Amino acid sequence: MSKRFLLLTLVGLLVLSIAPMLAVAQDDDTITIGFLPGVVDPFYQVMEIGVRQAVEDSALPVELVVQIPENFNPSVQTPILDALVARGDLDYLIIAATDKEQLIAPLQAAHDAGIEIISVDTFIGDGDYVNGPVTFPLSYIGSDNVEGGRIAAEALAENVGGTGKVYIQNVTPGISTTDQRAQGFREGIAEFPDMEVVSEDFNNDDENTSVQQTSATLERESDLVGIFGTNVFSANGAGIAVQNAGLSDAVDVIAFDATTFAVEQLRAGVVSLVIAQKPFDMGYLAVQFAIAHNQGVSSLPKRVPTGYAVIDIENVDDPEVARFIYQVE
Amino acid sequence: MEPVLSLRNILKRFGGLTAVKHVNLDIFPGEVVGLVGDNGAGKSTLIKCVSGVYHPDEGEIQFMGQTMAFSKPIDARRVGIETIYQDLALAPNLNISANIFMGREAKRRYFGGLIKTLDEEKMLSESRRVIDSLDIRLPNFGAQIDKLSGGQRQAVAIARAVYWNARLMIMDEPTNNLGVPEQRKVLDLIRKLRESGVPVILISHTLPDVFAVTDRIVVMHRGHKVAEKQTAQTDSQTVVEYMVGARSDVRAD
Amino acid sequence: MALESQTDVSTLTATQQSVRAQRHVLLTLSRVWAWVFLIALIVFFSLSVSITSEGDVNFLTLRNSQNILIAITPVLLMGLGQTFVIIAGGIDLSVGWVMGLSSVISALLARDLVARGIDPTPAIFLAFAGGIAASGMVGLINGLIIARLKVPPFIVTLGVSFIVRGVALLFSGGQTVAGLPTQLRDFGNESLLYWVGGGANQLHFLRRPEVTGEQLRALDRILGWPVVITAIVVAIAIFLLHKTQFGRHTYAIGGNKEAALRAGVPVDRHTILLYVMSAVTAGIAGLLHSARFSGGSPTAGDPLLLGSIAAVVIGGVSLFGGVGQISGTVIGALIIAVLQTGLVMLGVEAFWQFIVVGSVVILAVLIDQSRDLIIGRAES
Ligand SMILES: Nc1ncnc2c1ncn2[C@@H]1O[C@H](COP(=O)(O)OP(=O)(O)OP(=O)(O)O)[C@@H](O)[C@H]1O
Ligand SMILES: [Mg+2]
């Protein structure tokens, strides 16, 4: 039993050590681009569609290598990254780093191995690739989550007339994207003197917990006017709690990320606003940057904010807005 | 007289080790047979072949004139071979009646047997009956087994065997870990079983006990049956000599 | 002299009597300690919420009680099957992702069957049957590997949970399955009874009263369908564990597996059934999730696994097997939910909530363990 296991391991190691050599044998004109998103989810799936579209639209031969981690977690992403580097044929790597500190070293190693790095959605270091601690990546293309939170706050404030108490349903402390959205939301609300964030709870990405916490908060704060859900589950749970308390008219619920499910809940009246990022743009731009760099363009911007779209029940059918829904099929 | 149990040429191996070697043995109605031998002599292995825990690699087991092939212990129990194991086989977290009825719980039927519930009252009263019939005293009848003393547990195990109409009772070191009064109680129970016509195979290291209750003594040494004596016609000195291998009748049978 | 010794004896008897009385109280307390703990929590939150809000907010309201009951449904359902498994000396770590799988499968079926023109109600029934069947299959695989191949349940169910996770993500494409029939949403969010408060004070049975505006806020859903379903499963579980041979065998296997085997308990078959049962109750939680949130979510159960095991343990089920009751698991789930709701209503900051919940879980288990000591001492 254990002998056979040992044998298998050895054979596996042998194959792994030979594989890169086989892969290197490729002609030189092709631009090889690796795409390594954070996890399997509609957001990154749409980004992948953008990546593939750009590859298709390219006049130059581009070879694409896609790897998707099972978990949004640096310890899952790093080995995949190392394996991609070990192939030895990548010219560019488009990556949504799952941790801004822990991915620096492995990406530095990739860069040292001759691979140019483009950050999408998330960044490493502090995201400032000009003056910050990390400058080796070509560019960071993504929406600023703090900005997204601020936009959510402004949209909510406009809906409720700039006064009242609001509540934040967040996922898990320590996730940079959702933490930044919450932070931006607080900053945005602070601009309105008659508005106040009463509290923030963490639902562990569980809709049931989100319902429970929101219901309890609604009991405590009878004059709540709005809830910001930092992701779709948070907002959906909050929206269901609001609906079952008969408060749909009084409390607005904002969802972050325009998944088809979020939009469906918007149409059902469970959430009132959906903040859409532009993952397609991120993926498409990143590939274009890689190709441009390959062709000698040297003045690529180090930072490209892709911005947001705010979707509500009035504009959801407008094709100009609807195209920002994360439609996978 | 027909033997109740008849073992022919039983052999049992564990890998390279042969724990029981070509053993023949007959047990007759109403007799108590002592099975003695040094540690590792193969006593437990032999009786586990009879009680369906192991399959013998060679040989034949006949019970009440029928050839038997048990695939699990419950097969042996179904034909009336009850075993009190060295390690007792009671569930410490269940009470006395639940243990007596373990695996064969009494049930009440509802809706033509569609729904069946445990018949606790029946199990309790039946347990009480069998325990009283054996003159066993248990202070707290609803107590969990792990609240009972070793002797009381032994008594429960014996009561269970009796309740299920044992036609052959096998006891593997039933007096182990018991205080002297409790040991005596168990010996009394063995005599009671004999009175009711149930043959008993008693495995024990305590020779005085063996001499006190058995009709016949069988000695094993390193997997072989080395002696078979009427209890009244031998003494412990002789038995010990067989046990340590200083004497052997192994060629005799 | 004689007089003195007499006084001595009588004092002794008095102390003995009071010691005995004390023991009696302790013993009774320790038997119902989980209830005591739960009631103490409720009293504490009722007082503290009303004091800190200066009487504006009440903890003990009809609505809040219903919120808590709804909140415990998934954790409790997962915990019910787990209770059987743990009493029998096993553990099932796959239930989290089984719940997700069931949510995804039932959502996909409901969506696609309705799209094929089948009426929503039969489609939902079929979808539920599909979700349960898929869950049962996973339980069967768990059970077969554990019972037949004798691999420790911890390893098997952990491994299987990875596989189930992959399958759930594959089926759903990694995203929430949307586009479910509205009947499903209604089933998940409507209830057996409705109470219209705010002066109207009417009780409605089964049908939601047509109310609008201010009255909408005064509408309380009593015994939502998920609560009703869970209550039925609880009743079945109590019956099975405490009244039937199946339950008796579960305890016997947990107490002494070898003894159960020798006594003729079909240990292997029973073990397989236990894991099927555990997967099925988790599967029911998955169905209810799809209904409540009108979306099939592969990750629905993963965050709940530890909470469900905590509920079981707080309820007094021993992780070593052989000991435990369904009522304990129910109370365990209630204790956690009351605590979480209470802390939010008190406005306790989120980080402190983690600390308090964790501490209470440990405290609860500690009390439960010392209970055995107290009972042991009091009985000897
Ligand atoms: N399941 C098993 N696997 C391998 N070897 C075994 C097994 N059971 C018993 N043995 C070996 O078979 C031999 C006989 O063991 P057995 O338990 O029958 O002895 P015993 O006469 O009952 O001894 P004791 O008086 O100590 O109970 C010993 O050498 C023992 O180590
Ligand atoms: Mg032995």
Side-chain angles (χ1 to χ4, degrees):
Chain A
M1 180 73 184
S2 67
K3 249 188 208 159
R4 195 197 297 170
F5 180 74
L6 199 71
L7 198 70
L8 280 175
T9 319
L10 283 176
V11 171
L13 283 174
L14 203 66
V15 171
L16 281 177
S17 60
I18 293 174
M21 290 183 227
L22 298 174
V24 172
Q26 223 193 37
D27 76 282
D28 266 350
D29 293 348
T30 312
I31 308 168
T32 308
I33 301 178
F35 176 52
L36 180 54
V39 70
V40 193
D41 80 0
F43 177 86
Y44 290 117
Q45 282 165 331
V46 171
M47 189 184 289
E48 186 183 334
I49 293 172
V51 165
R52 291 191 185 279
Q53 188 64 49
V55 169
E56 204 173 288
D57 293 350
S58 160
L60 298 166
V62 176
E63 151 117 15
L64 182 67
V65 183
V66 179
Q67 283 291 334
I68 308 176
E70 207 192 303
N71 256 326
F72 192 91
N73 190 317
S75 36
V76 178
Q77 196 181 34
T78 310
I80 303 177
L81 168 62
D82 293 342
L84 278 175
V85 174
R87 288 169 58 102
D89 63 339
L90 289 192
D91 302 310
Y92 295 90
L93 176 66
I94 300 172
I95 181 170
T98 48
D99 190 288
K100 57 182 193 283
E101 300 303 331
Q102 292 176 53
L103 263 295
I104 294 178
L107 283 173
Q108 178 72 59
H111 186 254
D112 294 344
I115 302 172
E116 294 291 349
I117 310 294
I118 300 172
S119 290
V120 282
D121 178 40
T122 56
F123 52 80
I124 53 174
D126 64 359
D128 180 352
Y129 293 165
V130 181
N131 302 315
V134 178
T135 55
F136 65 84
L138 275 186
S139 183
Y140 164 39
I141 304 169
S143 33
D144 179 343
N145 278 295
V146 178
E147 179 64 21
R150 232 181 257 130
I151 287 172
E154 279 156 21
L156 177 62
E158 191 182 322
N159 257 24
V160 301
T163 70
K165 295 176 177 173
V166 295
Y167 167 61
I168 302 174
Q169 257 298 310
N170 205 344
V171 182
T172 302
I175 301 181
S176 63
T177 47
T178 45
D179 281 354
Q180 284 163 5
R181 290 168 197 171
Q183 180 204 333
F185 184 78
R186 283 179 185 276
E187 288 172 16
I189 291 297
E191 303 283 313
F192 299 88
D194 294 335
M195 293 190 79
E196 177 200 357
V197 176
V198 288
S199 58
E200 172 176 357
D201 285 309
F202 295 92
N203 57 46
N204 197 21
D205 213 12
D206 172 33
E207 285 161 299
N208 184 56
T209 307
S210 172
V211 173
Q212 189 186 0
Q213 293 172 337
T214 305
S215 300
T217 304
L218 290 170
E219 292 287 291
R220 190 185 75 215
E221 310 286 349
S222 52
D223 47 355
L224 208 67
V225 297
I227 302 171
F228 176 45
T230 60
N231 73 353
V232 174
F233 279 172
S234 308
N236 190 39
I240 282 167
V242 168
Q243 216 171 35
N244 287 342
L247 290 166
S248 295
D249 296 342
V251 183
D252 277 335
V253 178
I254 304 196
F256 208 100
D257 275 335
T259 61
T260 44
F261 179 61
V263 171
E264 185 176 302
Q265 297 303 79
L266 174 73
R267 291 186 202 275
V270 175
V271 300
S272 1
L273 293 170
V274 176
I275 308 290
Q277 304 185 67
K278 298 175 179 173
F280 182 93
D281 295 17
M282 297 175 200
Y284 196 94
L285 263 182
V287 172
Q288 286 196 321
F289 270 36
I291 295 169
H293 181 267
N294 177 265
Q295 294 302 301
V297 176
S298 61
S299 53
L300 293 168
K302 284 275 191 180
R303 169 81 179 103
V304 182
T306 42
Y308 291 91
V310 180
I311 308 178
D312 62 21
I313 195 69
E314 259 107 56
N315 68 14
V316 62
D317 293 317
D318 179 350
E320 274 305 297
V321 175
R323 70 193 180 89
F324 295 117
I325 298 169
Y326 308 168
Q327 211 92 42
V328 180
E329 281 108 39
Chain B
M1 197 162 36
E2 280 291 301
V4 176
L5 177 76
S6 175
L7 303 180
R8 288 284 152 263
N9 204 25
I10 300 293
L11 183 135
K12 176 70 194 172
R13 293 190 197 91
F14 293 112
L17 178 127
T18 309
V20 175
K21 296 167 185 161
H22 306 292
V23 171
N24 294 304
L25 182 63
D26 288 322
I27 307 289
F28 294 93
E31 70 169 344
V32 177
V33 176
L35 185 56
V36 298
D38 202 1
N39 291 113
K43 310 180 295 289
S44 295
T45 308
L46 180 67
I47 60 97
K48 280 180 178 168
C49 289
V50 178
S51 61
V53 176
Y54 298 141
H55 290 279
D57 294 306
E58 288 175 26
E60 196 183 60
I61 299 170
Q62 287 197 342
F63 187 68
M64 319 285 285
Q66 305 262 308
T67 303
M68 297 285 154
F70 304 128
S71 65
K72 349 182 208 27
I74 188 67
D75 297 341
R77 289 188 67 194
R78 286 213 177 94
V79 299
I81 300 176
E82 290 283 347
T83 310
I84 314 279
Y85 292 94
Q86 207 165 350
D87 45 2
L88 273 177
L90 298 171
N93 58 331
L94 294 179
N95 68 22
I96 292 164
S97 74
N99 266 288
I100 288 178
F101 281 83
M102 192 188 341
R104 306 176 186 183
E105 290 79 2
K107 280 165 281 185
R108 267 206 197 110
R109 292 154 169 276
Y110 298 92
F111 306 111
L114 199 66
I115 291 178
K116 286 178 240 165
T117 61
L118 289 175
D119 192 342
E120 300 281 10
E121 276 138 55
K122 179 176 175 198
M123 290 193 277
L124 203 66
S125 64
E126 294 284 280
S127 305
R128 220 179 265 282
R129 190 174 60 72
V130 64
I131 290 209
D132 288 346
S133 80
L134 290 172
D135 271 338
I136 302 168
R137 264 167 220 279
L138 295 172
N140 179 359
F141 207 82
Q144 283 183 196
I145 291 295
D146 60 5
K147 302 276 184 325
L148 299 186
S149 75
Q152 289 167 333
R153 290 180 204 197
Q154 201 59 256
V156 171
I158 293 170
R160 171 164 73 183
V162 168
Y163 180 78
W164 291 105
N165 293 322
R167 292 200 273 183
L168 168 66
M169 178 83 89
I170 301 172
M171 297 186 176
D172 194 347
E173 304 190 22
T175 51
N176 248 11
N177 309 321
L178 296 189
V180 175
E182 297 198 309
Q183 289 179 6
R184 192 159 299 155
K185 191 79 211 172
V186 171
L187 297 183
D188 286 347
L189 282 171
I190 292 173
R191 288 192 191 99
K192 263 207 159 57
L193 286 173
R194 175 171 47 196
E195 277 164 29
S196 60
V198 179
V200 177
I201 300 176
L202 170 68
I203 299 179
S204 177
H205 286 284
T206 319
L207 286 185
D209 286 358
V210 175
F211 276 90
V213 293
T214 63
D215 303 303
R216 206 145 52 93
I217 296 176
V218 172
V219 188
M220 286 184 76
H221 181 67
R222 298 200 177 155
H224 290 286
K225 183 176 107 178
V226 291
E228 181 165 352
K229 304 275 172 209
Q230 294 298 318
T231 308
Q233 288 159 25
T234 188
D235 53 61
S236 60
Q237 179 60 36
T238 317
V239 168
V240 169
E241 281 168 18
Y242 279 108
M243 283 171 69
V244 298
R247 275 184 194 225
S248 174
D249 301 350
V250 67
R251 307 268 160 233
D253 66 47
Chain C
M1 267 306 262
L3 201 77
E4 221 178 278
S5 75
Q6 226 173 13
T7 356
D8 254 15
V9 169
S10 68
T11 356
L12 207 76
T13 334
T15 0
Q16 265 178 339
Q17 262 171 356
S18 88
V19 165
R20 205 165 288 161
Q22 263 176 13
R23 273 185 185 164
H24 186 75
V25 170
L26 270 179
L27 203 63
T28 326
L29 256 182
S30 67
R31 290 220 169 98
V32 295
W33 87 268
W35 289 101
V36 175
F37 196 89
L38 179 61
I39 291 166
L41 271 183
I42 294 173
V43 170
F44 168 75
F45 282 121
S46 305
L47 292 176
S48 57
V49 165
S50 127
I51 289 168
T52 50
S53 68
E54 288 165 358
D56 289 345
V57 185
N58 275 314
F59 183 80
L60 269 183
T61 60
L62 180 59
R63 172 162 298 175
N64 214 18
S65 70
Q66 296 307 311
N67 286 342
I68 288 172
L69 286 182
I70 278 273
I72 68 168
T73 54
V75 173
L76 184 52
L77 282 168
M78 278 164 85
L80 286 175
Q82 191 79 266
T83 305
F84 281 81
V85 169
I86 295 183
I87 287 177
I91 185 122
D92 189 349
L93 299 178
S94 68
V95 287
W97 287 99
V98 168
M99 175 177 166
L101 178 72
S102 161
S103 170
V104 167
I105 300 274
S106 59
L108 283 172
L109 280 173
R111 184 187 73 188
D112 294 351
L113 289 174
V114 170
R116 297 249 160 88
I118 296 177
D119 277 349
T121 312
I124 288 170
F125 270 105
L126 284 174
F128 280 8
I132 300 259
S135 310
M137 280 293 296
V138 178
L140 191 64
I141 294 168
N142 276 330
L144 281 172
I145 301 177
I146 292 164
R148 296 258 191 270
L149 305 181
K150 313 288 175 206
V151 185
F154 187 91
I155 311 276
V156 174
T157 57
L158 191 66
V160 165
S161 97
F162 275 96
I163 297 170
V164 173
R165 167 191 192 157
V167 173
L169 288 170
L170 274 178
F171 270 112
S172 64
Q175 52 180 307
T176 309
V177 179
L180 308 188
T182 52
Q183 285 84 349
L184 193 60
R185 182 190 297 264
D186 289 344
F187 173 71
N189 288 289
E190 297 306 333
S191 60
L192 184 64
L193 296 169
Y194 298 88
W195 171 252
V196 188
N201 296 355
Q202 296 163 321
L203 191 64
H204 295 255
F205 187 64
L206 281 176
R207 193 160 298 142
R208 179 168 52 149
E210 298 292 331
V211 289
T212 48
E214 277 302 308
Q215 273 206 317
L216 201 56
R217 296 185 195 186
L219 175 71
D220 277 321
R221 291 170 177 76
I222 306 173
L223 302 180
W225 293 118
V227 176
V228 173
I229 302 275
T230 308
I232 292 172
V233 180
V234 168
I236 294 173
I238 289 177
F239 177 75
L240 269 182
L241 186 60
H242 301 303
K243 297 284 173 211
T244 70
Q245 187 178 39
F246 185 85
R248 181 57 51 80
H249 286 180
T250 306
Y251 282 108
I253 292 171
N256 186 345
K257 190 164 153 189
E258 195 56 37
L261 193 70
R262 290 184 197 164
V265 174
V267 174
D268 283 2
R269 197 186 71 198
H270 195 87
T271 305
I272 294 169
L273 280 176
L274 287 176
Y275 284 92
V276 169
M277 223 175 97
S278 166
V280 165
T281 62
I284 296 173
L287 309 177
L288 297 180
H289 183 95
S290 294
R292 270 182 80 199
F293 300 102
S294 45
S297 162
T299 57
D302 181 43
L304 300 175
L305 172 68
L306 288 181
S308 73
I309 294 180
V312 174
V313 173
I314 292 178
V317 177
S318 160
L319 285 174
F320 299 110
V323 182
Q325 273 164 1
I326 297 293
S327 61
T329 301
V330 176
I331 297 171
L334 276 171
I335 287 176
I336 298 178
V338 164
L339 197 60
Q340 284 172 338
T341 296
L343 290 172
V344 174
M345 283 186 79
L346 267 183
V348 173
E349 202 199 324
F351 294 167
W352 281 104
Q353 291 181 29
F354 291 118
I355 295 171
V356 175
V357 172
S359 310
V360 169
V361 169
I362 293 175
L363 182 73
V365 176
L366 276 181
I367 296 179
D368 189 50
Q369 281 185 351
S370 55
R371 173 185 71 155
D372 287 348
L373 279 181
I374 294 169
I375 291 179
R377 244 180 249 151
E379 274 179 355
S380 62

